[in-house]
Amino acid sequence: MADTEAELNELFAIPPMTELQPDVLGELQSILRLHHISPQELSFKWEAYSMKMGLESTKLDLRMATDFKHDIQDTLERDSRGKMNTRSVDRRAAYATPRSAKSDDMFGMMEGMVPNTPVPQRANNSSKRKAVFETPAVPKFNKTDGMSSPSDARTNGHINSVQSAAFSERENAGQVVETLNGHLGVCEAPIAPPAESRVKLTANTDLKKFSYKPMAMHLSEASEVLDDRIDELQSLVQSHHNLEDSIFGNAASQATSEIVAVGRICSESLEGKLNASSLMLETSRRTGAGLRVPIKVESISHEFFPGQIVALRGINASGLYFSVTEVLEVPLLPPAASLISSIDNQNERLGAGDEYLDGVVHALNVLITSGPYTADDNLDFEPLKTICEKAADTYADVLILVGPMIDLEHPLIASGDFDLPNDPSIEPDKATLNDVFRILIGKPLSLLAQTVPSITIIIVPSVRDAVNKHVSWPQEQIDKRPLGLPKQAKMVTNPVTISLNELVIGISAHDVLNDLRREEVVVGQPKERNVMARLPRHVIQQRHFFPLYPPADRTNLPKTGTDGGVATGMPLDVAYLKLGEWLNVRPDMLITPSALLPFAKVVKSVLVLNPGPLSKRKGPGTYAQLSIHPRQVTEEERAEGALIGHHLFDRARAEIVRI
């Protein structure tokens, strides 16, 4: 009993307090007894509840503890109802007519295709999948090198070709390669870390919806998702341009009058790159029976890519092709805005008042990185340790880590040919990649959290993460429990939209910019000649973190350092494509890590950041550092008393820095 109380006080008491109030402690102990969970698991549930509710403070009082208890009970009841429904379906399936594996009857043909049909050897398959995530206890060696030492064994094959210079000998460390809003001041480190977090973190995405079973939806339902996106954007175009219903038509039907057709750009061939002569428009089943029609675009200037939803004005006089005369603009989402009272509250959190005019207050200090976090010839994770030291030295308010953390495309991880970390807590015969993560990544982050208790660490997964068993995009957050992470670390989904104080930030770990660069077709003169500004504009206009469809063939992507050399690519689950949409507002900031050159640009009033990889295959990479100054509310805005925009693009100094 005393041990449980001590653990609850350690996990839930916020410094300078060392003990919880007796009534709060009683509520937490009641939850532990009712649900038979450990204090550590309860702390994970509290973190998820805090993010979901957007709590101003994580300090527990009796009312919050009671609400938390009710939320856990409600969640448990919902899960129980879902399991009861599943069991009832399974019970009905159990009494189905037995079918022989060798039978050729109609029912045997549907084996594995009908929902809830038992699939033979499911247990064997699951055990094989589980083995993928296990780390070999003994390094593998080639027979020709049987007499060599373990350290020499990893020089075989491709590993020898990616030898990189020592990280400690890197050049130009700390050099700023690009600056946005250089006239704004750099965030200076305070004398001591803040007593409590200056950041209120809220998840604007329903994280529970990402806990779906990949590849479980029927093809018909997945096609409806694609159709719905076309129909929804048609309604937006109609409202934005004040068009009558009669002006819309089927681009595939022969007609003598001009119409507006809304559909998805696709290629006439399944192979090869899209070009101006192979452009086709795919209609929805409601507006054009799902037909595809070639489009002629010689008379216009525009940029196209597969999956792009467009509204085209033109005519199909011959019935063979649709001749385009104009591309109607898809309206942008409104910018994010807040009440003046909310802005004032957030400024108070930063300590901004009259003294801010004298430059006394420190701006919000945000560090943004993306994986990989170590070079291809080692698993030392020196770049990660260095960015943690940087965050500790500057008393950073927020550290955003975008995956992959342990990269599936890392040659040593892919081959399993590496030594386990030298740590007494690891049992070689039972070690997994979770143990590798806990020692190599969890320990530096825990040390950072001890140095700066007020920091908020946000971890975004990637489809290349070896410790995340959710393999498709949109992707569930990584399970935090076995990774040894501090309570300051918050696990979110990929993609995700979050709020840091009043700011709305969208993050996706997939390299959509590089995919767009490969697939984009420019007809005539581009509206934006700067490629780095044009590619994010596609994402913003399409209101989606991944507007491409279908994803690029992974055999055409850059080769990796693994034996096969084939990239992971984009394992897109079409049925849940809607989880990648922007629903209500344009984000103030869009974080899109990419293999393209790192940059910080303002596109359509959105601050777009590509921090670049923290570690390249053969050397150090870059990261982004933001100094976000408080939003100044003018007297005119106070007099109007309406919602005001956040204007992050002109009050944030963004720097791309070499690690």
Side-chain angles (χ1 to χ4, degrees):
M1 185 69 174
D3 293 341
T4 302
E5 290 184 8
E7 193 170 356
L8 288 173
N9 284 324
E10 181 182 355
L11 292 170
F12 289 91
I14 297 180
M17 294 179 57
T18 58
E19 294 185 355
L20 296 169
Q21 298 175 3
D23 49 359
V24 175
L25 187 61
E27 284 290 341
L28 297 182
Q29 290 174 328
S30 173
I31 297 174
L32 297 181
R33 289 193 300 270
L34 284 172
H35 302 287
H36 302 287
I37 58 178
S38 66
Q40 184 67 56
E41 187 172 354
L42 183 63
S43 71
F44 294 146
K45 292 182 180 294
W46 169 245
E47 289 178 12
Y49 177 74
S50 300
M51 288 184 60
K52 180 179 73 172
M53 302 303 294
L55 299 179
E56 292 284 344
S57 171
T58 56
K59 182 178 179 181
L60 265 173
D61 56 26
L62 181 59
R63 181 184 61 81
M64 294 170 64
T66 304
D67 293 343
F68 177 43
K69 181 178 181 180
H70 291 162
D71 182 77
I72 293 178
Q73 186 64 34
D74 292 343
T75 303
L76 181 63
E77 291 177 358
R78 285 196 300 270
D79 293 345
S80 298
R81 287 195 294 269
K83 290 178 181 178
M84 288 178 62
N85 293 336
T86 304
R87 283 197 297 267
S88 65
V89 173
D90 292 342
R91 204 177 295 123
R92 288 194 299 269
Y95 293 97
T97 304
R99 295 189 293 271
S100 170
K102 298 180 179 180
S103 108
D104 297 327
D105 65 328
M106 179 179 66
F107 296 102
M109 293 170 59
M110 299 299 288
E111 179 69 45
M113 299 175 61
V114 179
N116 303 312
T117 301
V119 180
Q121 300 179 350
R122 182 173 295 172
N124 293 339
N125 290 339
S126 63
S127 64
K128 290 180 181 178
R129 287 196 297 270
K130 183 177 181 182
V132 175
F133 296 93
E134 295 178 356
T135 304
V138 181
K140 301 175 183 177
F141 309 107
N142 290 344
K143 293 181 180 179
T144 55
D145 293 321
M147 301 300 294
S148 63
S149 64
S151 60
D152 293 336
R154 287 187 298 278
T155 63
N156 298 324
H158 63 275
I159 302 298
N160 193 37
S161 66
V162 294
Q163 292 294 327
S164 59
F167 181 78
S168 58
E169 299 175 1
R170 67 193 186 281
E171 298 179 355
N172 303 319
Q175 179 186 14
V176 178
V177 298
E178 183 173 340
T179 303
L180 178 69
N181 292 332
H183 62 282
L184 297 175
V186 179
C187 182
E188 298 181 359
I191 299 175
E196 59 182 14
S197 176
R198 301 199 300 162
V199 172
K200 174 189 174 183
L201 173 64
T202 307
N204 298 337
T205 301
D206 189 349
L207 304 183
K208 291 184 179 180
K209 289 185 177 179
F210 288 75
S211 303
Y212 63 88
K213 183 179 179 182
M215 306 300 293
M217 187 174 283
H218 298 289
L219 290 178
S220 59
E221 295 173 345
S223 66
E224 288 175 4
V225 172
L226 297 174
D227 271 1
D228 289 345
R229 181 158 167 76
I230 297 176
D231 295 337
E232 288 169 4
L233 287 186
Q234 177 172 321
S235 300
L236 293 173
V237 169
Q238 181 176 5
S239 175
H240 180 70
H241 294 279
N242 296 319
L243 301 175
E244 299 292 336
D245 291 340
S246 58
I247 194 65
F248 291 93
N250 181 5
S253 299
Q254 184 177 3
T256 56
S257 58
E258 191 176 62
I259 64 168
V260 172
V262 179
R264 178 179 290 103
I265 294 297
C266 59
S267 176
E268 66 179 5
S269 172
L270 295 178
E271 300 178 356
K273 188 178 183 297
L274 187 70
N275 56 63
S277 60
S278 65
L279 286 171
M280 297 190 76
L281 185 72
E282 179 183 83
T283 62
S284 71
R285 283 175 288 189
R286 185 177 70 87
T287 59
L291 297 175
R292 293 182 175 185
V293 58
I295 56 175
K296 302 296 182 182
V297 292
E298 294 88 351
S299 61
I300 63 170
S301 294
H302 199 71
E303 305 90 26
F304 298 97
F305 59 86
Q308 182 183 21
I309 308 298
V310 292
L312 307 177
R313 190 188 299 273
I315 188 172
N316 186 352
S318 64
L320 301 177
Y321 61 85
F322 187 74
S323 181
V324 181
T325 57
E326 181 186 2
V327 180
L328 300 182
E329 181 183 0
V330 176
L332 298 175
L333 281 166
S338 298
L339 293 170
I340 294 177
S341 59
S342 176
I343 297 291
D344 290 339
N345 291 336
Q346 304 303 341
N347 287 345
E348 287 180 11
R349 182 186 294 272
L350 297 178
D354 295 336
E355 69 273 14
Y356 177 71
L357 300 177
D358 300 326
V360 175
V361 150
H362 298 283
L364 202 65
N365 184 9
V366 181
L367 300 178
I368 302 171
T369 68
S370 68
Y373 290 91
T374 189
D376 271 9
D377 62 344
N378 66 77
L379 290 176
D380 295 334
F381 287 90
E382 291 176 295
L384 176 67
K385 296 174 183 176
T386 302
I387 198 65
C388 288
E389 293 171 0
K390 171 72 174 178
D393 293 341
T394 59
Y395 295 127
D397 295 292
V398 180
L399 173 61
I400 299 177
L401 303 172
V402 184
M405 306 299 293
I406 295 183
D407 191 0
L408 285 170
E409 295 181 2
H410 192 289
L412 299 179
I413 296 295
S415 66
D417 186 9
F418 61 91
D419 295 327
L420 292 172
N422 186 15
D423 189 274
S425 65
I426 293 183
E427 299 181 37
D429 294 337
K430 300 179 181 179
T432 67
L433 286 177
N434 286 337
D435 297 311
V436 177
F437 187 106
R438 177 170 53 85
I439 303 302
L440 299 180
I441 297 177
K443 281 194 172 181
L445 294 179
S446 297
L447 181 61
L448 170 61
Q450 292 174 10
T451 308
V452 190
S454 61
I455 195 171
T456 299
I457 304 171
I458 301 170
I459 299 180
V460 184
S462 164
V463 293
R464 286 164 50 187
D465 266 309
V467 295
N468 195 347
K469 297 183 181 180
H470 198 280
V471 297
S472 61
W473 192 99
Q475 188 178 24
E476 185 182 13
Q477 64 265 44
I478 299 175
D479 186 5
K480 179 181 177 180
R481 287 171 290 185
L483 303 180
L485 292 170
K487 62 182 180 181
Q488 288 88 343
K490 313 297 181 184
M491 317 301 279
V492 295
T493 57
N494 172 32
V496 69
T497 303
I498 60 175
S499 287
L500 292 180
N501 293 344
E502 79 280 4
L503 301 175
V504 179
I505 301 175
I507 312 173
S508 178
H510 186 74
D511 189 356
V512 64
L513 300 184
N514 197 26
D515 288 354
L516 285 169
R517 182 72 181 91
R518 291 172 172 275
E519 300 294 335
E520 183 189 40
V521 175
V522 179
V523 178
Q525 296 296 324
K527 298 177 181 178
E528 173 60 65
R529 293 186 177 275
N530 188 326
V531 176
M532 297 303 180
R534 188 170 71 238
L535 299 179
R537 181 167 56 86
H538 292 321
V539 178
I540 296 170
Q541 288 181 333
Q542 292 290 297
R543 308 172 171 215
H544 203 285
F545 285 106
F546 189 78
L548 275 165
Y549 185 79
D553 186 347
R554 66 193 192 119
T555 58
N556 297 329
L557 297 177
K559 300 298 182 183
T560 67
T562 58
D563 287 335
V566 180
T568 305
M570 179 57 157
L572 179 66
D573 199 317
V574 181
Y576 295 91
L577 198 61
K578 196 172 182 64
L579 293 177
E581 287 186 0
W582 300 358
L583 298 179
N584 300 316
V585 297
R586 256 178 295 164
D588 297 302
M589 179 163 59
L590 176 63
I591 301 174
T592 58
S594 175
L596 302 178
L597 289 176
F599 64 84
K601 294 187 180 298
V602 177
V603 181
K604 300 292 184 181
S605 75
V606 177
L607 173 57
V608 183
L609 275 177
N610 169 23
L614 193 66
S615 176
K616 299 177 182 178
R617 290 186 59 190
K618 297 184 179 182
T622 56
Y623 66 94
Q625 181 168 10
L626 268 66
S627 300
I628 303 175
H629 294 261
R631 170 71 159 92
Q632 301 267 334
V633 183
T634 64
E635 294 300 329
E636 292 79 5
E637 290 172 333
R638 290 191 183 278
E640 292 178 3
L643 293 170
I644 59 173
H646 299 156
H647 296 175
L648 176 66
F649 54 85
D650 62 6
R651 62 183 177 97
R653 178 189 177 103
E655 296 178 334
I656 304 297
V657 188
R658 296 186 190 276
I659 186 65

